Amino acid sequence: MSRIRIADLLSRELSPGSVVVKGWVRTKRDSKAFSFLELNDGSCLANLQVVADATLPGYEESVEPARTGAAVEVEGEVVESQGQGQRWEMQATRVTLVGAAPEDYPLQKKGHSLEFLRSIAHLRPRTNLFGAVFRIRSRMAFAIHRFFQERGFVYVHTPIITASDCEGAGEMFRVVTMEGEKVRGGAEEFFGKPTYLTVSGQLEGETFACALSNIYTFGPTFRAENSHTSRHAAEFWMIEPEIAFCDLEGDMTLAEEMVKYLVNDALDHCAEDLDFCNRFVDKGLLERLAFVRDRSFERISYTDAVELLRASGEAFEFPVEYGLALQSEHERYLTEKHFRCPTTVYNYPKEIKPFYMRRNDDEKTVAAMDLLVPGIGEIVGGSQREERLEVLLANLREQDLEESAYDWYVDLRRFGTVPHAGFGLGFERLLMFVTGVGNIRDVIPFPRTPGSAEF
RNA sequence: UCCUCUGUAGCUCAGCGGUAGAGCGGGUGGCUGUUAACCACUAGGUCGUUGGUUCGAUCCCAACCGGAGGAGCCA
């Protein structure tokens, strides 16, 4: 008899009859004559209630020790439940203990703190919350590919190891080879020069966009920043589309459409898991997601945003002044108090943005954009790229960057240059937004943060 | 890197300058178509580490280590 997933079983209109299920016991309630086993196999949030009569052959060896955490295989008849709370339950005809869990199994059926669960990251996927979060994560990864593939974007694998040490996005991890305990360096360097873990696939992505027109990357990214916040990790996943023959307007539209698409997909395909998040993580989650799906996002230029903030009368800790970067508190004011919805801020002063962003005709701003969402802040950062050779070279000089290191990047402007644009979407930040989970460490399976690389 | 908070039983926490507490979880027994089951009994702690103050420190002080939140940086 073949195994059926609990998700399949529970969604049946008619009883599938006699079947086999396999999973882990969440809890067991015993009485003299029989036991109730709550069985979960990760296919969905809900458990299957198994009724195991004490008269079952092998009851003492298989059912009695099947306490919380144990792995079991159960064969039985799916019948309508006599009790409240579930439609189907299984009347067991055979219970096999696959793997026992002794009494020191750390997960109790009661709520645990997220901090404690982080310390047992190898077991936390067996909880309701993390099961839900990682099913949603999987679905969102799939939806991202669908979104781009449906629009004719080509998936490009940009390198993890890179030699560009000045991509302008924070501190990098060095890649070295070892000789025993010693780091091999200098001319002995494996690649013949210093190399790093990528902080962005953008520059490489641009080369493919200038050939395949519309591309996206989706892979791990590394930042060696010593950041201690709920929104930063040293290793995270990023989605970076790059579009040829596209300006900032098209870039912003794509980013907004993408966020809406993903939220809509989650609402359609992760209803049970989102409902759990709504009940136990963030009571306003479903309402907010529906809002994001249904309403259009706000857009405001940096210049207007500065004026709006100055006129707001709000007492900010940091000054609001043209030419200064917007602080977290300013971004939060825009999305959480003023607009109360996702907001795209665009056209930033060129001084506070990297060399590759396209200079606007006002000569003061660049065609950059940040998509901000309530509760998290920046979820997307992007720009139209500088496609004019002379302007790009001037930018490199202005920012004291070594021109020769960007030969290949500059070549794109030498040979058949086109206007193009793109953005980066932080996958974990998207997941925080979609699930309502407040800490990035709880939406990535094994988080890497300063001082912490367990598991 | 800076600022703030925090570390007591397996978990969540209370507590106090003078022999360590609860709830939950675990174990045992009972009971019931149960579902955060229920009732009774029971085991379980070098109070993060090191040093200092004190007759006496889990408590006060310092340093260190771990955890969390925020800032910066960004996604």
Side-chain angles (χ1 to χ4, degrees):
Chain A
M1 198 175 294
S2 70
R3 177 191 185 190
I4 183 172
R5 293 160 68 249
I6 289 174
D8 292 347
L9 187 161
L10 292 177
S11 65
R12 293 296 177 95
E13 279 306 308
L14 299 170
S15 166
S18 261
V19 295
V20 170
V21 291
K22 306 182 185 190
W24 292 268
V25 175
R26 282 292 174 80
T27 183
K28 178 167 63 113
R29 294 178 293 274
D30 295 314
S31 70
K32 195 161 248 164
F34 46 83
S35 297
F36 293 106
L37 296 176
E38 292 283 339
L39 199 65
N40 188 285
D41 66 1
S43 60
C44 60
L45 184 77
N47 302 322
L48 174 66
Q49 173 162 289
V50 173
V51 185
D53 283 325
T55 55
L56 274 182
Y59 180 88
E60 293 79 10
E61 299 82 59
S62 56
V63 179
E64 277 184 2
R67 60 168 72 80
T68 303
V72 297
E73 176 180 331
V74 184
E75 186 177 329
E77 179 84 10
V78 177
V79 297
E80 302 224 14
S81 179
Q82 299 170 34
Q84 301 290 305
Q86 59 278 317
R87 175 166 182 209
W88 297 115
E89 67 184 20
M90 174 177 275
Q91 187 67 47
T93 53
R94 173 177 64 83
V95 176
T96 305
L97 184 67
V98 178
E103 66 210 41
D104 57 349
Y105 180 65
L107 288 172
Q108 304 169 8
K109 70 190 300 184
K110 289 233 168 183
H112 289 288
S113 69
L114 294 173
E115 288 85 354
F116 171 67
L117 292 170
R118 270 171 225 151
S119 73
I120 50 167
H122 57 307
L123 296 173
R124 66 180 184 170
R126 300 191 193 185
T127 64
N128 286 335
L129 174 65
F130 286 94
V133 164
F134 291 119
R135 277 187 297 272
I136 293 170
R137 184 178 171 114
S138 168
R139 179 69 209 186
M140 288 296 93
F142 177 66
I144 282 161
H145 283 296
R146 261 187 70 174
F147 175 82
F148 286 117
Q149 298 282 339
E150 282 171 358
R151 284 160 181 73
F153 282 62
V154 175
Y155 180 31
V156 175
H157 296 108
T158 50
I160 307 281
I161 297 175
T162 173
S164 341
D165 66 346
C166 30
E167 294 182 28
E171 312 250 342
M172 304 178 86
F173 290 103
R174 271 294 298 277
V175 174
V176 298
T177 46
M178 306 297 291
E179 243 170 20
E181 294 289 290
K182 255 181 59 191
V183 170
R184 212 189 298 168
E188 301 295 302
E189 200 86 61
F190 184 88
F191 296 103
K193 59 171 123 175
T195 47
Y196 310 85
L197 294 182
T198 184
V199 295
S200 165
Q202 181 200 315
L203 302 191
E204 288 92 344
E206 284 187 45
T207 70
F208 271 72
C210 292
L212 305 176
S213 289
N214 293 350
I215 66 100
Y216 69 105
T217 73
F218 186 4
T221 305
F222 307 88
R223 303 274 167 90
E225 291 289 341
N226 193 13
S227 295
H228 294 264
T229 82
S230 53
R231 325 181 286 289
H232 290 85
E235 177 184 290
F236 62 99
W237 287 63
M238 192 154 64
I239 298 99
E240 296 181 286
E242 195 70 34
I243 317 104
F245 305 101
C246 179
D247 58 11
L248 185 70
E249 172 76 20
D251 199 37
M252 291 193 286
T253 300
L254 184 73
E256 291 164 0
E257 279 178 2
M258 176 180 187
V259 171
K260 276 177 177 290
Y261 180 96
L262 296 175
V263 166
N264 187 50
D265 188 89
L267 286 168
D268 279 355
H269 293 97
C270 307
E272 185 189 29
D273 290 325
L274 284 178
D275 185 59
F276 181 84
C277 293
N278 190 65
R279 277 183 292 144
F280 293 100
V281 180
D282 178 351
K283 301 257 187 262
L285 179 67
L286 288 176
E287 196 184 335
R288 194 168 66 243
L289 292 179
F291 181 86
V292 167
R293 177 191 57 195
D294 298 335
R295 311 286 181 81
S296 55
F297 293 4
E298 291 291 337
R299 284 186 193 177
I300 185 169
S301 73
Y302 168 89
T303 308
D304 290 346
V306 166
E307 274 189 30
L308 188 155
L309 289 165
R310 290 180 72 94
S312 70
E314 190 84 359
F316 294 114
E317 189 184 342
F318 293 91
V320 180
E321 202 177 310
Y322 185 92
L324 297 181
L326 296 180
Q327 305 285 324
S328 293
E329 58 173 346
H330 306 144
E331 296 179 349
R332 266 203 299 277
Y333 178 83
L334 292 175
T335 59
E336 292 168 20
K337 285 195 175 161
H338 187 81
F339 293 123
R340 295 175 176 277
C341 80
T343 303
T344 307
V345 182
Y346 61 95
N347 287 349
Y348 285 82
K350 65 179 198 282
E351 289 78 15
I352 58 174
K353 289 293 180 184
F355 74 96
Y356 54 74
M357 295 189 174
R358 189 180 194 278
R359 187 158 303 180
N360 286 320
D361 292 342
D362 62 12
E363 296 293 326
K364 286 163 63 184
T365 61
V366 290
M369 61 101 169
D370 286 346
L371 174 50
L372 315 172
V373 297
I376 292 157
E378 183 179 344
I379 197 171
V380 167
S383 69
Q384 184 174 342
R385 321 306 188 188
E386 184 53 77
E387 87 282 11
R388 296 162 296 189
L389 178 63
E390 286 316 316
V391 182
L392 185 70
L393 290 174
N395 287 352
L396 282 169
R397 282 193 295 272
E398 231 170 72
Q399 304 200 7
D400 279 329
L401 296 172
E402 184 58 49
E403 198 181 307
S404 62
Y406 294 95
D407 269 349
W408 56 271
Y409 185 73
V410 173
D411 265 358
L412 296 180
R413 281 71 181 169
R414 234 174 238 128
F415 309 121
T417 192
V418 294
H420 59 291
F423 61 81
L425 171 83
F427 187 46
E428 284 75 18
R429 291 200 179 163
L430 172 85
L431 289 170
M432 291 169 72
F433 184 63
V434 169
T435 61
V437 168
N439 196 308
I440 197 168
R441 299 171 182 93
D442 300 325
V443 296
I444 191 165
F446 298 101
R448 272 80 180 94
T449 51
S452 174
E454 292 305 308
F455 309 100

